[in-house]
Amino acid sequence: MPAGAAIGADQVASAASESPFFEELPTVLSASRLPQVLHEAPGAVTILDRDFIRATGYRDVARLLRLVPGMQVGQERGHAQWVTYHGLSGDFPTEMQVLIDGRSVYAAGSFGEVDWPALPLTVDEIERIEVVRGTNSNTFGANAFLGVINIITRDARQDQGSRAQANLGNHGIADLQASWSHSDDGLGMRIAAARTRDNGFSGINDSRVSQTLSLRSDYRLDARNELTVRAGANTLERGQGYPDSIFGNNAERTLATEAYNLHLTWRHTTGDDGEWLASFYHTRESGIDHWLANGAFNGRLFINVPLSRDTTSSRTNAELQHRFALGPQARLVWGLEARRDEANSVGLFAGGQPPAYELYRAFSNLDWRPTPGWQLNLGALVEKNGTAALQFVPRAFVNWQASATDTFRAGYSRAWQQRNLFELYGDVRAYDPKGAPGAPPIARPYAPNPNLRPPHVDTVELGYLGRFPRLDATLDVRVFNERISDFVVRSLLPASPLRPLALPLPTSQYTNLASPIELRGVEYQLRTKPWRGGELLFSHTLIDRRTDSQEIRQRTSPYVASLTWLQAYPDGWTSTASGLRMGPLAGAAGYVPGCDTTSRAYTALDLRVARAFRLEGRRAEVAVNGINLGGRHQEIADRSEQCLPTHRGTPVNPVSSMVWTSLSIEL
């Protein structure tokens, strides 16, 4: 065959049947809602499977994402995760859609963020995590602005029996988790519970106590119908704030949150590659976060000024999806979705509670093979969310399977980003409790902007997925250009000379950046098994940041690299070592505008050594785990705190090395 010529589908199938290497290429669902082998997906997808997740020994889901190309993840404190793809985000990242079994876990309330330590599931329940690296709004809507993280839990019928694990280590680490699974006559059920406790980073108010309970039940009604029920609950208490924040605007306190969810799914198969899927879920969240601020200015004392971020919110979502074959070479999926979000917070919306947020969308994706070696993925979504105008989201990708081991792809996509309620309607005012009734506020940190335009991104990308059987290796490359218009930033408002505020804290509101942002770069991941029992995973990202705003440029690190080495030894011994190199990064925006600070480049090392054994006939494992080993470094700074004269030049919240021993046993 001439070099570079495309091969036929029968030759690909023949090659796959002769080599077990091809059998390992996984099928993904998150790129288009169609089950597609990895090289068929319209875009770059990284999969963290169950074995890899267990091998890391991580206690938190968000830490796993550090090892995905393009991801920029940091911690302001032990329980505060800043999870982004290509950076850019403010205090509460919202540029990636995050799902658990297809259910969006973005908070329905004020800030619209993902509360990573409060996710109502345990790490042990996860079957795999699919990360779509790149715009995917035509599949999952506005929050999939720069990508998708889909956490897929294990079918309840896959496991039998019970499992328990305990962690004990420094910084007060004391975790317990247990699960029970049973399956009989097509009905499976799993119940999992976990209690996570630690004191977080040294020197700051960073303790947490989290309690999680989750349930999943899968029931096959007959040969074509299946019902899945998922329910979860989490309560979490965690330390917040700093003792010397400006006027106590971020004073030390304890934040208490509760989250509950119920998710029902009905699946009906109609034949080869045909399926109806109906989904309904309801979530309810609440947070108690209030404190008293104190300060003085111009000889005037302000004592016990009440500040509050107390919130309650709820989300109700219904979805219908239909997948079917148009013929031997074409498949189509289409669907409808409706959502209603409600939020209540007197402290964050002093000008009146925001209106209920309603969203409606229709989506479709087509997978068509005009020839055996060429594949076309076309997608479109129409969405109406809140007060924004009707939005049309297109995507077009072409994949060329140049050989049995080489696939090239090229595509274009557009996406719109949903604005959260606080950006639109946030109105924070502080009043002197000793002031006269009707007196003006002494400070107004935030003012609303209901006319805020939703940002949109146009993405062009080229990709390559290569498989090298002789090296037992896979190489995934993505070259991208992401042009973002109307990006949302926090801007200062001019002070009113007629009604000056008693405290010199400026008022800000969220506005649209006048000029576009362009992120150009390349990211790749090499996964190989160069020797017996060993596996290496290397990821590298380089980004050229083009914007008129220096502050926005600093929110994206120009480079990130990670290397993970997994090794199996005789007699049940295993080890996992991960190194991360993160370039300079100014994550988030801080509570007080105008305080710019960038964390220096750093290197982090994680290590785990484990041994599996039999304990009275039961499978067990003992492990020693460590994260943030080596020198202390700062990852994400609270800008207003870091800008205080007493902290300049010295990181106020460096990470701490955390080491713990874990013991797990299957009962």
Side-chain angles (χ1 to χ4, degrees):
M1 178 178 296
I7 64 173
D10 55 339
Q11 292 170 285
V12 176
S14 175
S17 64
E18 294 172 2
S19 172
F21 177 80
F22 288 91
E23 298 174 5
E24 299 176 3
L25 205 58
T27 297
V28 296
L29 297 170
S30 305
S32 65
R33 295 182 182 251
L34 291 165
Q36 296 172 307
V37 181
L38 190 60
H39 69 278
E40 301 173 341
V45 184
T46 296
I47 300 173
L48 305 177
D49 61 26
R50 183 174 178 82
D51 291 338
F52 181 83
I53 294 171
R54 282 191 168 186
T56 65
Y58 289 155
R59 301 165 61 231
D60 298 290
V61 174
R63 196 167 188 89
L64 290 161
L65 301 172
R66 293 171 177 246
L67 308 179
V68 176
M71 296 297 296
Q72 299 193 1
V73 180
Q75 291 178 268
E76 186 263 330
R77 58 189 64 211
H79 60 71
Q81 303 277 1
W82 194 76
V83 179
T84 72
Y85 181 69
H86 294 171
L88 283 185
S89 294
D91 296 310
F92 307 99
T94 58
E95 283 77 22
M96 292 192 77
Q97 178 66 278
V98 182
L99 310 166
I100 297 179
D101 293 326
R103 176 180 64 85
S104 176
V105 296
Y106 269 101
S110 308
F111 302 111
E113 80 284 10
V114 176
D115 194 355
W116 288 97
L119 293 182
L121 85 164
T122 65
V123 175
D124 191 56
E125 295 176 78
I126 300 174
E127 175 66 18
R128 68 185 185 277
I129 301 174
E130 296 181 2
V131 182
V132 181
R133 303 176 352 249
T135 300
N136 199 25
S137 285
N138 81 293
T139 301
F140 289 107
N143 276 117
F145 190 67
L146 291 179
V148 173
I149 300 169
N150 193 6
I151 302 169
I152 300 171
T153 62
R154 198 166 177 81
D155 191 299
R157 294 163 297 191
Q158 291 181 266
D159 296 317
Q160 294 283 331
S162 304
R163 186 176 185 273
Q165 178 172 325
N167 301 326
L168 189 64
N170 66 350
H171 295 276
I173 295 175
D175 306 336
L176 290 172
Q177 67 177 41
S179 63
W180 171 84
S181 299
H182 180 72
S183 179
D184 183 40
D185 196 23
L187 173 63
M189 180 173 289
R190 179 182 63 246
I191 300 175
R195 184 179 189 272
T196 304
R197 181 189 182 280
D198 61 60
N199 297 328
F201 295 168
S202 299
I204 60 175
N205 184 32
D206 192 23
S207 63
R208 67 164 166 172
V209 179
S210 173
Q211 299 182 92
T212 300
L213 179 66
S214 68
L215 175 145
R216 172 166 175 162
S217 179
D218 297 274
Y219 181 42
R220 182 169 293 280
L221 302 171
D222 53 43
R224 293 186 178 273
N225 293 281
E226 185 174 308
L227 181 66
T228 299
V229 178
R230 306 171 186 87
N234 174 271
T235 62
L236 174 60
E237 292 187 352
R238 62 195 118 172
Q240 296 281 89
Y242 295 90
D244 56 348
S245 63
I246 301 173
F247 298 114
N249 78 95
N250 188 22
E252 288 188 323
R253 61 198 187 277
T254 298
L255 164 63
T257 59
E258 296 182 355
Y260 306 93
N261 71 85
L262 175 65
H263 186 188
L264 308 176
T265 303
W266 168 69
R267 192 183 307 271
H268 172 73
T269 59
T270 59
D272 293 340
D273 212 18
E275 177 186 86
W276 285 92
L277 183 70
S279 172
F280 171 86
Y281 66 81
H282 180 77
T283 62
R284 185 167 183 82
E285 301 166 337
S286 64
I288 299 176
D289 185 16
H290 54 253
W291 65 100
L292 299 176
N294 299 280
F297 184 69
N298 283 342
R300 181 179 173 185
L301 293 176
F302 300 95
I303 305 299
N304 294 333
V305 176
L307 300 178
S308 174
R309 291 187 170 191
D310 293 356
T311 60
T312 60
S313 64
S314 66
R315 168 174 295 158
T316 303
N317 193 98
E319 180 179 293
L320 178 66
Q321 175 183 304
H322 184 205
R323 187 185 79 223
F324 58 97
L326 294 173
Q329 286 80 36
R331 297 178 298 162
L332 179 71
V333 60
W334 67 271
L336 304 171
E337 184 174 1
R339 175 183 301 169
R340 181 181 175 87
D341 292 349
E342 296 182 275
N344 181 39
S345 176
V346 174
L348 296 178
F349 304 103
Q353 294 309 302
Y357 184 90
E358 295 185 346
L359 177 149
Y360 305 94
R361 64 170 63 114
F363 58 86
S364 65
N365 279 285
L366 171 68
D367 179 347
W368 176 43
R369 291 181 174 275
T371 68
W374 290 87
Q375 177 188 6
L376 188 63
N377 279 280
L378 299 176
L381 175 141
V382 178
E383 181 172 282
K384 180 70 173 73
N385 59 73
T387 58
L390 189 71
Q391 297 160 357
F392 175 70
V393 181
R395 179 175 67 182
F397 262 83
V398 59
N399 291 23
W400 175 43
Q401 192 164 348
S403 71
T405 57
D406 300 285
T407 301
F408 297 86
R409 64 178 180 270
Y412 163 81
S413 54
R414 165 170 279 208
W416 300 83
Q417 186 179 11
Q418 174 184 329
R419 304 321 312 152
N420 63 60
L421 292 174
F422 186 74
E423 290 174 342
L424 293 169
Y425 306 109
D427 191 349
V428 179
R429 309 177 191 182
Y431 292 90
D432 186 350
K434 297 181 180 179
I442 59 175
R444 191 185 186 189
Y446 289 93
N449 184 6
N451 297 318
L452 193 66
R453 297 186 302 275
H456 64 273
V457 59
D458 292 281
T459 300
V460 177
E461 67 176 84
L462 302 174
Y464 169 74
L465 181 63
R467 293 158 287 167
F468 307 94
R470 292 183 181 179
L471 301 176
D472 203 353
T474 302
L475 175 65
D476 177 16
V477 182
R478 180 176 187 251
V479 181
F480 56 88
N481 185 95
E482 297 163 341
R483 180 182 174 87
I484 303 170
S485 301
D486 285 333
F487 187 73
V488 173
V489 295
R490 185 175 171 185
S491 303
L492 297 181
L493 292 178
S496 172
L498 300 178
R499 300 188 65 184
L501 299 175
L503 289 178
L505 291 175
T507 299
S508 65
Q509 70 176 183
Y510 291 98
T511 61
N512 296 104
L513 194 65
S515 58
I517 301 170
E518 282 197 44
L519 301 179
R520 301 178 180 179
V522 59
E523 61 194 38
Y524 60 92
Q525 183 176 76
L526 175 66
R527 192 163 192 163
T528 180
K529 298 179 180 179
W531 54 76
R532 185 174 182 179
E535 183 174 1
L536 296 176
L537 181 65
F538 177 69
S539 300
H540 188 206
T541 303
L542 295 169
I543 301 178
D544 178 22
R545 307 151 298 166
R546 302 191 176 193
T547 172
D548 294 337
S549 170
Q550 177 65 15
E551 191 272 334
I552 296 299
R553 183 181 295 108
Q554 294 171 344
R555 291 196 201 178
T556 295
S557 175
Y559 62 87
V560 187
S562 67
L563 176 63
T564 301
W565 171 29
L566 302 98
Q567 185 66 49
Y569 307 94
D571 300 323
W573 287 92
T574 59
S575 66
T576 303
S578 293
L580 173 73
R581 179 65 178 176
M582 175 70 75
L585 177 64
Y591 290 140
V592 177
C595 291
D596 296 336
T597 183
T598 300
S599 298
R600 297 176 180 176
Y602 64 85
T603 300
L605 176 65
D606 301 340
L607 181 65
R608 181 177 191 260
V609 178
R611 185 176 187 271
F613 59 96
R614 290 277 177 176
L615 182 63
E616 296 183 355
R618 298 181 175 91
R619 288 189 296 180
E621 183 184 68
V622 62
V624 177
N625 312 264
I627 62 172
N628 296 325
L629 303 179
R632 300 188 72 183
H633 60 269
Q634 184 183 53
E635 295 186 354
I636 301 294
D638 180 291
R639 298 196 190 188
S640 59
E641 184 70 16
Q642 193 64 60
C643 280
L644 292 176
T646 53
H647 298 313
R648 287 178 180 171
T650 302
V652 68
N653 60 331
V655 304
S656 296
S657 297
M658 307 184 79
V659 179
W660 67 95
T661 300
S662 62
L663 174 64
S664 62
I665 184 170
E666 296 184 3
L667 305 174

